[in-house]
Every structure is written in C-alpha cells, then in structure tokens.
Amino acid sequence: MIFDWSATAALAAVQNTQPEAPLTLSGEGLWVCLVSSGTCTASLDDIGPSPAGSALILPPQNAPAGHLILSRSPLTLTPAGACHLLCLQLTGQAALQFLAGLPELPFLARGETCPAAAELMGQLAAETDDTPHSRARSQLAFALLCELSGADSAAPALPPLVQEAMEDIRANYAGLYGVEELSERLGVSKSHLVRMFTAALGIPPGRYLTKVRVEAAMRLLLHREYTLDVIASLCGFSGANYLCRVFKKETGHSPAQWRAVAGQSLRPGLSPEESQREQELYI
C-alpha cells in the first residue's frame, strides 16, 4: 500500500445511545459527541496526557441539544433527564492534531457554526463494520474534522482577570512561587484572585498551577529521558521527591509508571516555550 489513509483519520468507535446514567468515554484520540436531544453535562474527571500547548481544563459544562462536545478521554457525559447522544471516536494524525489545537477541554461547539457536522456524523455512524478501516470511513472522518475546524466555542467568556491569571500561570509555571506572587504580578489581592478564579473555573489558582505543572511533567516524561530532578526543575517543583508525591496524588501513578504506561500510546512534542526553557537550563 502506497498510502495508509487510516493513519491520517479513522473511525475507532461509535456510541449511539440514550444514557440513563453517566457515560464515560475512554480510549485514545478525539471524541466528537452530538447532543441530538435533551441536555447533558460534559466533564473531564481525571487528568490525562494533554497535547503540547496544554488546553484549559474547564469545569463541568452543560451541553443542550444541537451542541457538539469535542474532547479527549476520559470524558464523562451525564444526562439531565431524557437525552440522546451520538459519539464518535476519531484516531489518526489529523485527529491528534485537531485535539492538540483545542484551546479548552471539553470544547463545546455551537452546531450552527458547523452545520454539516451532524450529517457527516450520521453518515459515519451508518458505515458498516465489515471494513473498519475503509477508505470511505477515513474520507468521512477527515471531512468531519475539516467541518469542525470552523466551530465556535459555546463556553461562556472568562473574566479578564481570570484569563490573565491563567495565561500567566501557563507562561511562567516553572518560576512562580505561588498564588501570592501571582496576585502581586496581577495587581490584586490574593483573596480577590482566589475568589474570582474559583468562581469561574471551579478550582482555586493554586490547584490550577499544580495541574499545569503536572501536565508539563507528563510531556517531559513522555518526550525526554531526563532524571526526575531535571524534570522537577523544568516544571517548577522543589525536587524529585515532591514531584513524585504530587504526581502520584494527581494521576494515581508514579512518574515511572506513567512513563511506562502512557508512553506506549502517546508521544507528544513539547511546546515552543518548553523547548526554549529546556535549552536555556539544560542544553
């Protein structure tokens, strides 16, 4: 075979369901879920291997009928009464690139901004299982990604202070001493920042800073063969022991276990900022 189209875009799984209990979607790749009727809540309960660029992990989002939910796993969809969902799991390089470009997870898209998405999802779901890696499926999967690329977020806009704090954390997590320093940089009191941040995102800024640092450690564990001391320095932890304690608490795995298990299926690159920091400190 000259060209393996399934390596670019492929349909891995379909769930066409009317759940009465929370539905958790797992597996690698991009999940695309259409809320055909009713309303559901979409949430990412567990931390997972984020693509380079570190999308903002949002608190649980309400998705009414006509909206699409785009996310990695583990994605939990909780119905609010009667609800119909069509969920497709897309894999391949195009799906991973699409996932890496999402600014927030789970990403809620308004259906009217990608009007052909519902029809393409229906065509994909109707494809027979006789040829799971057929060219027709790959063509439809790629067409769906192209249609979704123009979707607008349906998530409410964040307050400017929260947006600025979030950007500061993601840009400077390796050197930030904590929320006290962050509030000084933003020119507000610590209590005001914590109150605004928690109200908007559902977690305090200190907790968000920890999550960003752990996500950065994940990418370094998968992408580099550095010692834990080096990774701790690059990610803003005081040392390897502290990194191990926090990492285990956040992910349920030790760094070594994470590198062994997650590295089998995902090998993301570093963001430009992380590569520059790496060169400045250790290369």
Side-chain angles (χ1 to χ4, degrees):
M1 180 183 293
I2 297 176
F3 173 69
D4 181 9
W5 50 78
S6 64
T8 300
L11 177 66
V14 177
Q15 293 220 28
N16 193 352
T17 180
Q18 292 178 296
E20 297 181 354
L23 171 68
T24 298
L25 304 174
S26 59
E28 63 181 82
L30 170 71
W31 277 100
V32 181
C33 304
L34 171 65
V35 185
S36 301
S37 63
T39 302
C40 76
T41 300
S43 61
L44 279 172
D45 298 326
D46 300 317
I47 194 165
S50 297
S54 294
L56 167 65
I57 305 301
L58 296 176
Q61 300 290 300
N62 290 324
H67 282 56
L68 294 108
I69 304 164
L70 315 176
S71 183
R72 61 160 171 80
S73 67
L75 174 65
T76 299
L77 304 175
T78 305
C83 177
H84 181 267
L85 301 171
L86 175 58
C87 303
L88 308 181
Q89 182 188 11
L90 304 182
T91 57
Q93 292 301 315
L96 291 178
Q97 184 179 2
F98 187 99
L99 182 59
L102 291 176
E104 59 205 29
L105 294 172
F107 184 93
L108 264 61
R110 297 196 301 272
E112 63 269 20
T113 64
C114 45
E119 181 180 354
L120 288 168
M121 292 180 69
Q123 292 176 8
L124 265 171
E127 281 286 305
T128 66
D129 293 327
D130 299 334
T131 52
H133 299 296
S134 71
R135 181 170 61 185
R137 280 191 170 191
S138 292
Q139 288 174 330
L140 286 170
F142 189 78
L144 176 58
L145 292 172
C146 292
E147 177 67 15
L148 293 172
S149 66
D152 290 337
S153 174
L158 294 173
L161 174 63
V162 175
Q163 184 69 40
E164 189 177 354
M166 185 185 69
E167 293 173 355
D168 200 327
I169 288 173
R170 291 205 169 273
N172 303 296
Y173 61 84
L176 271 177
Y177 287 105
V179 180
E180 190 105 20
E181 180 189 356
L182 178 63
S183 62
E184 291 178 1
R185 292 159 66 107
L186 298 174
V188 297
S189 69
K190 179 180 176 181
S191 60
H192 180 67
L193 175 60
V194 171
R195 184 170 60 254
M196 292 288 293
F197 200 99
T198 305
L201 296 181
I203 59 173
R207 171 80 167 153
Y208 182 76
L209 173 59
T210 297
K211 284 181 171 291
V212 170
R213 285 173 170 166
V214 170
E215 289 171 5
M218 286 177 174
R219 291 191 296 277
L220 285 172
L221 285 165
L222 292 174
H223 195 68
R224 297 287 189 264
E225 296 298 329
Y226 287 148
T227 65
L228 292 182
D229 283 316
V230 171
I231 291 176
S233 297
L234 285 168
C235 297
F237 294 100
S238 58
N241 289 336
Y242 183 55
L243 165 63
C244 290
R245 289 200 303 272
V246 174
F247 198 95
K248 176 77 172 180
K249 181 179 179 181
E250 291 291 329
T251 69
H253 299 280
S254 69
Q257 290 171 332
W258 175 267
R259 176 178 266 162
V261 174
Q264 299 299 317
S265 60
L266 186 64
R267 183 72 61 171
L270 303 181
S271 68
E273 294 80 7
E274 289 167 333
S275 296
Q276 181 179 358
R277 186 180 300 115
E278 175 189 53
Q279 293 170 5
E280 291 174 349
L281 293 179
Y282 292 100
I283 296 180

